[in-house]
Amino acid sequence: MRAYSLTAAAKINLYLEIIGDRPDGYHELAMVMQSVNLADRVDLRALGTDDILIHCDHPEVPADHSNLAYRAAQLMAEAFPTAFARFGGVEISIRKQIPVGAGLAGGSTNAAAVLVGLDLMWQLGLTQQELQDLGAQLGSDVPFCISGGTALATGRGEVLSPLPDLDQLHVVLGKYRSLSVSTVWAYQTYRRQFGHAYVSGHEAQAERRQHFHAGPMVTAIAHQDMTQIGQLLYNDLERVVLPDYPKVQQLRDAFQQPTVLGTMMSGSGPTVFALTASAEQAQQVRDTVRAAIPDPDLELWVTRFTPTSIRPVSSV
Ligand code: C5P
């Protein structure tokens, strides 16, 4: 096949706890990640040359080597030189639906789609674990974006354990178009403000991880207890982002409605989400928030949980 098209879904964090520092300079995390049905389209086309080309329909997405999807293709070319020599370079076209700089792993999921797509195009037959190991070299969220669904993530975010699918839940997402938060800034600010309370030492961190694995959020997911899941939503990064971004706090407050199971910021923000039990409730929540905040800069999406992240949709 000379061309593949894939959809690449966004993620939200149902839970994000910062445990402490890691020797590699990253943070040790305990997270529950969830794919949502808001997806970009990634088209891959084999080129006769050894070029890697990238296009994107979103003006804020760089169409050069700094794009994570470009780096994913470069990584595959380096890791599999024989396949690269045989099949040649690739043209990557990205059509964005997922907002940029949003805390929804938009860049990571595009990179995951390139890894999965080139594995197919170059007939490599890589396992999911092999793809995730490659993905971890690109970014902490890329391994999750390869498998998707509902998963526990520890380490930098790359150590994954699948959890039962939660495909009954509906989601309203809200983001101000002109607002984005730097992930690096959010983690650095968190370290500056709360670093004194970090759990340090290998054993103490392992104990904290174990506690999380057996904790209430994981139990609620195992029991498919949607009310509990809504109440247990958690994100440490809210502690630094919300005070600095009052509009995000205001949006989060607007999402607190009687039918909402829970509301939280995703990742390092600034996207805020609300969970509901039905599509009708999600639409009502969106309409109420739209009426409460008539700012045209505010974008709102109604979507739902999905058990898949990267999905090949066509090949020629
Ligand atoms: O891995 P990724 O490039 O997506 O991470 C972006 C930034 O987020 C890192 O450079 C780091 O500042 C912060 N980060 C962190 N700990 C993690 C994941 C990300 O400190 N586990």
Side-chain angles (χ1 to χ4, degrees), residues 25-27 29 139-140 155-156 183-184 187:
Y26 281 75
H27 283 90
L29 304 176
S140 307
R156 276 167 55 210
T183 305
V184 175
Y187 278 102

Side-chain angles (χ1 to χ4, degrees), residues 43-278:
D43 296 327
L44 302 178
R45 190 171 66 84
L47 297 170
T49 66
D50 59 2
D51 293 315
I52 297 170
L53 303 177
I54 185 155
H55 316 283
C56 181
D57 63 357
H58 193 295
E60 283 160 43
V61 175
D64 60 25
H65 62 275
S66 66
N67 189 305
L68 210 54
Y70 182 101
R71 285 174 41 212
Q74 220 173 16
L75 178 66
M76 290 295 274
E78 283 160 18
F80 304 101
T82 314
F84 184 53
R86 179 172 165 213
F87 292 97
V90 64
E91 181 178 48
I92 305 164
S93 304
I94 303 172
R95 272 179 272 168
K96 293 300 288 182
Q97 293 287 330
I98 306 170
V100 177
L104 297 174
S108 299
T109 197
N110 294 167
V114 171
L115 297 180
V116 171
L118 287 182
D119 174 49
L120 294 170
M121 193 184 270
W122 294 353
Q123 300 164 18
L124 298 168
L126 298 175
T127 62
Q128 185 156 288
Q129 187 59 55
E130 286 168 330
L131 286 165
Q132 287 177 327
D133 290 345
L134 287 162
Q137 297 179 46
L138 297 166
S140 307
D141 286 342
V142 181
F144 170 75
C145 291
I146 286 165
S147 48
T150 311
L152 277 182
T154 55
R156 276 167 55 210
E158 87 291 13
V159 182
L160 299 164
S161 320
L163 289 168
D165 289 335
L166 289 172
D167 46 359
Q168 315 75 328
L169 280 177
H170 297 262
V171 191
V172 191
L173 299 167
K175 179 185 178 287
Y176 287 95
R177 198 179 286 110
S178 63
L179 218 60
S180 65
V181 174
S182 151
T183 305
V184 175
W185 171 86
Y187 278 102
Q188 279 175 353
T189 308
Y190 191 89
R191 182 183 280 126
R192 228 180 8 257
Q193 289 187 17
F194 303 107
H196 60 274
Y198 280 4
V199 175
S200 60
H202 195 70
E203 264 174 43
Q205 289 192 353
E207 201 179 311
R208 184 66 213 119
R209 261 196 313 271
Q210 228 164 355
H211 191 73
F212 165 65
H213 274 251
M217 180 54 113
V218 177
T219 308
I221 292 170
H223 293 148
Q224 305 273 305
D225 185 338
M226 305 309 167
T227 307
Q228 271 287 85
I229 291 167
Q231 284 170 8
L232 292 168
L233 297 175
Y234 184 77
N235 184 349
D236 265 331
L237 291 172
E238 283 200 339
R239 298 166 75 189
V240 292
V241 177
L242 295 186
D244 247 57
Y245 292 83
K247 281 168 87 172
V248 181
Q249 176 70 63
Q250 183 202 11
L251 178 58
R252 199 183 177 299
D253 293 343
F255 269 140
Q256 303 270 16
Q257 293 175 32
T259 55
V260 166
L261 298 166
T263 179
M264 189 59 45
M265 186 182 81
S266 180
S268 55
T271 303
V272 174
F273 66 87
L275 304 183
T276 64
S278 76

Side-chain angles (χ1 to χ4, degrees), residues 19-54:
I19 295 178
D21 272 321
R22 292 166 55 91
D24 60 10
Y26 281 75
H27 283 90
E28 184 68 27
L29 304 176
M31 300 190 285
V32 177
M33 320 270 270
Q34 173 65 53
S35 301
V36 295
N37 205 13
L38 175 69
D40 293 338
R41 165 84 174 234
V42 179
D43 296 327
L44 302 178
R45 190 171 66 84
L47 297 170
T49 66
D50 59 2
D51 293 315
I52 297 170
L53 303 177
I54 185 155

Side-chain angles (χ1 to χ4, degrees), residues 281-296:
Q281 286 171 342
Q283 281 153 12
Q284 272 164 16
V285 169
R286 177 200 52 200
D287 295 346
T288 309
V289 171
R290 173 60 68 213
I293 309 177
D295 186 343

